[in-house]
Amino acid sequence: MMRTTCELEEKLNAKAYEMLKSEILEKYQGRYVAIAKGRLLVVSPDFDQALAKIKEIAPDVKHYLVFKAGEEPGLLAFRE
């Protein structure tokens, strides 16, 4: 069964989160971070700013994570 682009990006982002988890907690506690394309791309003091920035700098992604450092990622965004 062939995986969709969204599924592949989701796996890549989940792997990136696991690899970056301690660094995110140490460096960005209390701020919002966004992961897309398997990389940490945005750090912001505000959720809405982080979300807007990730959409701006990675408009082609099908999946990304936006969450507050120190909390488990809760927003999974998918695009068509």
Side-chain angles (χ1 to χ4, degrees):
M1 184 172 164
M2 197 164 170
R3 293 183 184 253
T4 66
T5 301
C6 185
E7 290 171 323
L8 293 172
E9 288 182 11
E10 182 178 10
K11 283 190 77 122
L12 184 64
N13 293 335
K15 185 176 180 179
Y17 169 71
E18 287 303 319
M19 291 176 61
L20 294 167
K21 191 176 186 177
S22 60
E23 179 183 343
I24 289 170
L25 184 59
E26 182 182 314
K27 291 183 178 179
Y28 307 115
Q29 182 68 25
R31 291 187 270 173
Y32 290 88
V33 297
I35 295 174
K37 299 182 179 187
R39 299 186 325 234
L40 176 63
L41 296 179
V42 176
V43 177
S44 174
D46 179 77
F47 174 83
D48 292 330
Q49 288 175 356
L51 185 59
K53 190 67 176 173
I54 198 69
K55 289 179 178 182
E56 176 188 323
I57 65 175
D60 59 325
V61 298
K62 305 290 186 218
H63 179 271
Y64 51 81
L65 302 169
V66 179
F67 59 97
K68 192 171 192 176
E71 298 178 6
E72 292 295 310
L75 176 65
L76 302 177
F78 305 92
R79 297 194 206 168
E80 295 301 319

